[in-house]
Amino acid sequence: MRVLVTGAFGQIGTELTEHLRAMHGSDQVMAADIRPPRAGSPAAGQPWVHLDVTDARALESLLTEHRFETIYHLAAILSGKGEENPQAAYHVNMTGTMNVLEAARKHGVGRLFLPSSIAVFGQDSPRDMTPNETVLRPGSMYGITKVAGELLLEYYVQRYGLDVRSLRFPGIISYKTEPGGGTTDYAVDIFVHAVQGRRYRCFLTEGTRLPFMYMKDVIRAVDALMDAPAELLTRRCYNISGFSADPGDFIREIRRVYGDFAVSFKPDFRQDIADSWPRSVDDSPARQDWGWHPEYDLSRVSQDMLKHVSQILQQAPGLGCLPGA
Ligand SMILES: NC(=O)c1ccc[n+]([C@@H]2O[C@H](COP(=O)([O-])OP(=O)(O)OC[C@H]3O[C@@H](n4cnc5c(N)ncnc54)[C@H](O)[C@@H]3O)[C@@H](O)[C@H]2O)c1
């Protein structure tokens, strides 16, 4: 096996694993998660191994058995779920990341991808075109673990020469599996409700502007960063973004197709998290160093989401892989 993906059945892992298997061959990519894939997701029926990343011994024996060249460490607890259980978020995101870095160091893994998040920013960071290098004082436990994860991976790069690379993802929009409990999940749920003809109750206010990326751009960005020659990288953690939008922008796009789509707003605890995050980020270092450029803006994302969510729901109306479905 050449590649290990942890957290392989999450929102990103499901599609990244599918993509990596298409690229390297199914027998070269090991999918690992603490739970089985959801019925109806592209990972259902595919081979996988049970792995709890907080279990250092389990990781150690997996890396002893297989000589992985690359690890994509996606196992994590995200912002919304993290605020519901901060201790669990600390444990999975900190202990899990440390365990993966240590196992990779001991076993000479060639390259690691450790995603970070716009949650590293906080009230003291500039909210518009937030620079790559700025004050990082997040208010959420998720953000705290992501800042610490960035510092830790840079330590492993400098101290041990491990080749670790990271992207600070914004909210990610996709249709193949349910998002895992983040502050931007509404941007997936809203499409599913529109297609099903159901009223949507949004947990953020209409004007809450945040940066987003479509999954197809996420996969392209991960590939581009992982393939970039190390000498081109001026840093290890990069801001990245596709476009910025608020719930009102999504509603306007959806109503071009579903004119009577009804939405109400009931902000919950995630509003405070969103209010501490950037409205937009400056990803010019990623553009300059390894040629990042997004292909999907809000209008293209909306068209693609409505098309694919409709197809999925027509084929299997009871499919559990989509939120609210
Ligand atoms: N989705 C987004 O909008 C977004 C935005 C910014 C950053 N990220 C980052 O990208 C990475 C992947 O995110 P995602 O959206 O796919 O998350 P997700 O919640 O959809 O998936 C995470 C996966 O990790 C697994 N997991 C949880 N605890 C585990 C453990 N102890 N051991 C092994 N597996 C465990 C879960 O079962 C799940 O399948 C995370 O590091 C996340 O912080 C995601």
Side-chain angles (χ1 to χ4, degrees), residues 74-94:
L74 307 180
I77 292 185
L78 274 68
S79 55
K81 282 200 181 156
E83 286 315 290
E84 284 166 2
N85 191 343
Q87 293 74 18
Y90 180 90
H91 189 47
V92 173
N93 299 358
M94 293 307 311

Side-chain angles (χ1 to χ4, degrees), residues 6-13 32-35 51-54 73-78 92 115-118 142 146 168-172 178-181 184-185:
T6 74
F9 303 144
Q11 188 188 10
I12 300 177
D33 205 299
I34 199 169
R35 59 157 172 105
L51 174 70
D52 178 352
V53 292
T54 65
H73 172 46
L74 307 180
I77 292 185
L78 274 68
V92 173
S116 187
S117 162
I118 55 164
Y142 175 64
K146 287 294 179 187
R168 288 177 182 149
F169 287 129
I172 293 171
E178 186 178 5
T184 52
D185 289 4

